[in-house]
Amino acid sequence: RVMSINMNGPLYLTQELYKHFGKTDTDKNRILFLSTIAKECKGLPNYGPYCVSKLGSYGIALMMREEFPTAEVPVYVSTVIPGEVDTEMQRQTAFSSSSGFPDHLVKHWRKLQETKQLLPPTVPGTFISWLVTDTDPKEFQENDWFVYEDWHHSRWAQKFIDDGVKIVEPKGLTDAH
């Protein structure tokens, strides 16, 4: 089931939508795959199927990144890790719907909630909007985008920074993250 949702779903959806991309003004033709640090498939014991499904989705994005820009109708492909976001689903998973998840993940999610380390949804929303509308095709495609990397913050996140929002990656889930 997790492979169908995280890997096959984006593949089949892209195949169906490809025919609708514009034949003129093709610089606007973009596909952005949502990704996660779980695609690294390390540091997350008992979370194998999810990690493998996200790795598979990333592989599909890499394949499309190679093939689609030179197709008859060019389409530019990239990936984004939107970060840890403060959503109702995240709260439910951390506190009331955590059965089936490994204990270390539930503890991590609860800590992020309790210490207010989660991003407001407007941060990744603004980031993603900027990615698909304000980057040129080459820049869009040449990067695997991560909301926490600060080299691009000056181009889209200044309002959040001025308002005191910290766009900083929470630590503790894996050795590197």
Side-chain angles (χ1 to χ4, degrees):
R1 184 169 178 340
V2 74
M3 295 297 276
S4 291
I5 293 168
N6 290 330
M7 190 176 85
N8 297 337
L11 173 63
Y12 298 146
L13 180 62
T14 301
Q15 288 173 334
E16 286 299 313
L17 294 176
Y18 184 82
K19 60 188 168 217
H20 298 288
F21 281 101
K23 292 177 177 37
T24 61
D25 202 10
T26 58
D27 283 359
K28 293 181 180 179
N29 292 346
R30 312 277 176 108
I31 298 171
L32 187 62
F33 281 77
L34 291 179
S35 192
T36 169
I37 63 167
K39 78 178 188 313
E40 296 174 14
C41 294
K42 61 183 179 182
L44 296 169
N46 304 317
Y47 220 48
Y50 177 76
C51 294
V52 169
S53 73
K54 296 310 274 188
L55 180 61
S57 176
Y58 181 69
I60 291 167
L62 292 178
M63 177 214 46
M64 290 180 182
R65 182 183 279 169
E66 291 289 318
E67 295 177 6
F68 283 16
T70 58
E72 182 178 334
V73 176
V75 176
Y76 303 93
V77 179
S78 194
T79 64
V80 64
I81 299 175
E84 299 276 3
V85 184
D86 189 9
T87 64
E88 183 59 31
M89 184 176 86
Q90 210 283 348
R91 282 187 289 285
Q92 291 292 322
T93 304
F95 294 107
S96 61
S97 300
S98 58
S99 65
F101 290 101
D103 286 342
H104 73 287
L105 284 176
V106 174
K107 288 177 187 175
H108 177 72
W109 294 330
R110 286 181 182 159
K111 178 184 169 196
L112 295 180
Q113 283 287 333
E114 292 164 353
T115 58
K116 303 199 181 310
Q117 294 183 63
L118 299 169
L119 295 172
T122 53
V123 171
T126 300
F127 179 47
I128 290 168
S129 177
W130 171 78
L131 281 177
V132 298
T133 61
D134 295 331
T135 58
D136 67 59
K138 183 178 179 189
E139 179 184 30
F140 174 80
Q141 176 148 311
E142 286 182 348
N143 290 288
D144 290 316
W145 299 91
F146 194 20
V147 71
Y148 298 120
E149 292 177 342
D150 61 4
W151 66 268
H152 48 67
H153 287 176
S154 65
R155 296 173 58 199
W156 66 270
Q158 197 57 52
K159 177 190 178 308
F160 298 110
I161 294 166
D162 291 346
D163 289 345
V165 176
K166 294 181 177 158
I167 306 172
V168 178
E169 183 180 6
K171 301 294 182 208
L173 181 57
T174 67
D175 292 338
H177 299 278

